[in-house]
Amino acid sequence: MNLSRRKKSHLFPVLMAASLLFGVLPKAYSQATNFKPGAIWPDNKGVHINAHGGGILYQNGTYYWFGEHKVGGEAGNVAQVGVHAYSSRDLYNWTDEGIALKVSDDKTSDIAKGCILERPKVVYNTKTKKYVMWFHLELLGKGYGAARTGVAIADKVTGPFKFLRSYRPNAGRMPYYPAGTPAAAQINAQHPANKSDVIFMRDFPGGQMARDMTVFVDDDGKAYHVFSSEENNTLHLAELSDDYTSHTGKFVRIYIGQQTEAPALFKNNGKYYMIGSGCTGWAPNPARWFTATSIWGPWTFEGNPCVGAGAQKTFGGQSTHVLPVSGKKNAFIFMADKWAPKDAIDGRHIWLPIVFNGNNIEINWLDEWNLDYFDKQPTQTQPSEKSK
Ligand code: DGJ
């Protein structure tokens, strides 16, 4: 350890004691009491939270945030480190829990350092008592061509996660059609009618492409993987096995040929909601939302949930997760990434409350807000007139 570092560590308790005595905590250690969308968000060490394209798992009073660990510069657009974990009991203040899944130094590994590992999501399987992490994986040196999904498991929520495998899901499987699906949609998949269908049939033998993604666990414990497939033209929603570590082969195609990325799924009062984005690389575009009364659809496109200035660019962000707030009714947080591809580590987190307005949802920009916001929302029962 060099002298200047040693000096700092000796000084630290003195500074802490002094600041406690005067009733002021050093900046990095002051307790946050609100969200500031798009601002630097310091963790317990005063470092901007490094969990991009992330998702949150809630367990026994604690939230665990998992996301892509980025490094500075354009080098940060590929995985140099792995998946970073944080914990919090109040959603404002986050403790660095370290790297939950590390990329490998073995260049032949699917998750070799320098691969693209995006949008990790962790769920807990109550039967196996394992934590299961799914993510979008692109193999080292192949750009975005591999379009695989990867899965890892752990005994402890913050890891270490053990990488299991990566693949393209649902090889040799045709989509599942719930009752009520228009016949035309069924015919499309079997007799390719548009560009997306042609790609679907191309990938039918080897498995479907799987890029931007989320995982959703329903009330009955069944888990679903939602991902951008068919060259990002069409979303797939696919059932996971009982242990959550593989696909069962049952899936549906959503919003065929319309290029949806960044899916985030949630459920409120028995209804399913999904928010996603268009497909414009790291640049923001208008968000889009969908509803369904069954997980298998039909999923209805509902327009752009964002309203007001900046709504056409999702306030500079792209969806990554929708977080139900524990202990509050109708309280969901829209989590988005404001990407910084020139200096990836500077990517910002945009968290905004979702407002239920009759049959609609709305997301408005707020410079600052806290969880009390949800208590002030009037209970709306009538559909609003919001234009879509
Ligand atoms: C948009 C996706 O949503 C991101 O996760 C990332 O894959 C970028 N595209 C890469 O351009």
Side-chain angles (χ1 to χ4, degrees):
M1 186 191 279
N2 70 34
L3 189 63
S4 60
R5 280 189 66 187
R6 196 176 301 155
K7 262 193 201 146
K8 266 188 207 151
S9 63
H10 283 317
L11 269 178
F12 181 70
V14 181
L15 281 173
M16 280 300 278
S19 48
L20 282 172
L21 199 65
F22 294 107
V24 227
L25 283 166
K27 203 163 182 248
Y29 291 82
S30 62
Q31 292 291 297
T33 51
N34 59 13
F35 304 109
K36 293 192 179 105
I40 289 284
W41 193 344
D43 66 7
N44 62 316
K45 296 172 177 164
V47 177
H48 179 52
I49 293 172
N50 201 341
H52 309 270
I56 290 183
L57 171 69
Y58 175 77
Q59 268 197 322
N60 307 322
T62 302
Y63 296 90
Y64 297 93
W65 183 354
F66 300 87
E68 304 158 28
H69 179 105
K70 302 277 195 190
V71 300
E74 293 186 21
N77 295 322
V78 300
Q80 310 284 359
V81 176
V83 176
H84 207 133
Y86 294 83
S87 65
S88 172
R89 292 181 73 83
D90 64 8
L91 290 174
Y92 311 118
N93 298 283
W94 291 88
T95 300
D96 182 355
E97 300 284 356
I99 303 301
L101 172 70
K102 288 195 170 96
V103 293
S104 171
D105 288 327
D106 173 1
K107 283 203 159 33
T108 66
S109 163
D110 283 6
I111 57 164
K113 184 174 174 184
C115 70
I116 293 172
L117 196 165
E118 294 179 337
R119 301 186 174 270
K121 303 288 177 291
V122 174
V123 289
Y124 179 64
N125 189 295
T126 51
K127 288 186 199 132
T128 62
K129 308 225 178 315
K130 302 273 184 207
Y131 296 89
V132 183
M133 179 190 290
W134 284 92
F135 47 89
H136 164 204
L137 180 72
E138 298 292 349
L139 302 175
L140 180 62
K142 296 199 186 310
Y144 277 88
R148 291 191 188 196
T149 188
V151 58
I153 54 168
D155 294 321
K156 217 179 123 225
V157 59
T158 51
F161 279 79
K162 182 174 168 273
F163 173 68
L164 292 183
R165 66 186 88 87
S166 78
Y167 59 100
R168 285 186 174 188
N170 299 323
R173 300 294 189 134
M174 291 303 284
Y176 162 72
Y177 289 108
T181 304
Q186 302 186 27
I187 291 163
N188 269 358
Q190 285 149 39
H191 304 281
N194 66 37
K195 192 171 150 228
S196 192
D197 295 332
V198 172
I199 297 163
F200 178 88
M201 294 315 292
R202 178 197 73 190
D203 293 337
F204 178 79
Q208 298 297 331
M209 300 176 97
R211 293 201 183 111
D212 276 15
M213 53 142 283
T214 193
V215 176
F216 171 74
V217 179
D218 209 341
D219 306 329
D220 60 2
K222 279 209 167 294
Y224 302 88
H225 178 208
V226 185
F227 50 95
S228 304
S229 192
E230 307 175 33
E231 303 287 1
N232 290 351
N233 280 299
T234 295
L235 279 177
H236 286 194
L237 181 151
E239 187 181 63
L240 293 176
S241 57
D242 284 348
D243 70 358
Y244 300 170
T245 69
S246 61
H247 293 78
T248 64
K250 184 174 177 181
F251 69 100
V252 285
R253 299 166 78 211
I254 297 172
Y255 211 33
I256 293 175
Q258 300 297 320
Q259 299 195 309
T260 305
E261 283 193 320
L265 207 157
F266 62 105
K267 190 177 185 182
N268 193 23
N269 295 324
K271 185 165 158 182
Y272 298 91
Y273 297 80
M274 182 155 49
I275 302 179
S277 74
C279 188
T280 52
W282 298 113
N285 57 54
R288 49 184 72 177
W289 68 290
F290 306 86
T291 53
T293 50
S294 154
I295 191 86
W296 296 114
W299 284 86
T300 307
F301 170 69
E302 303 279 6
N304 182 352
C306 299
V307 287
Q312 287 312 308
K313 295 247 164 102
T314 315
F315 313 113
Q318 186 185 26
S319 43
T320 184
H321 187 68
V322 171
L323 173 67
V325 178
S326 171
K328 287 188 190 278
K329 277 195 83 164
N330 301 326
F332 293 81
I333 299 176
F334 172 69
M335 292 169 52
D337 293 284
K338 186 174 181 184
W339 302 111
K342 295 264 174 246
D343 187 20
I345 198 170
D346 192 36
R348 305 296 175 88
H349 312 290
I350 296 179
W351 286 24
L352 292 167
I354 293 177
V355 175
F356 291 86
N357 196 352
N359 286 335
N360 287 326
I361 60 167
E362 282 183 11
I363 302 170
N364 293 272
W365 177 259
L366 296 168
D367 290 335
E368 259 183 50
W369 66 284
N370 64 30
L371 296 175
D372 295 343
Y373 184 92
F374 293 113
D375 305 328
K376 293 177 195 141
Q377 291 308 306
T379 313
Q380 299 254 355
T381 46
Q382 296 306 309
S384 83
E385 291 304 310
K386 189 186 87 128
S387 63
K388 287 175 185 166

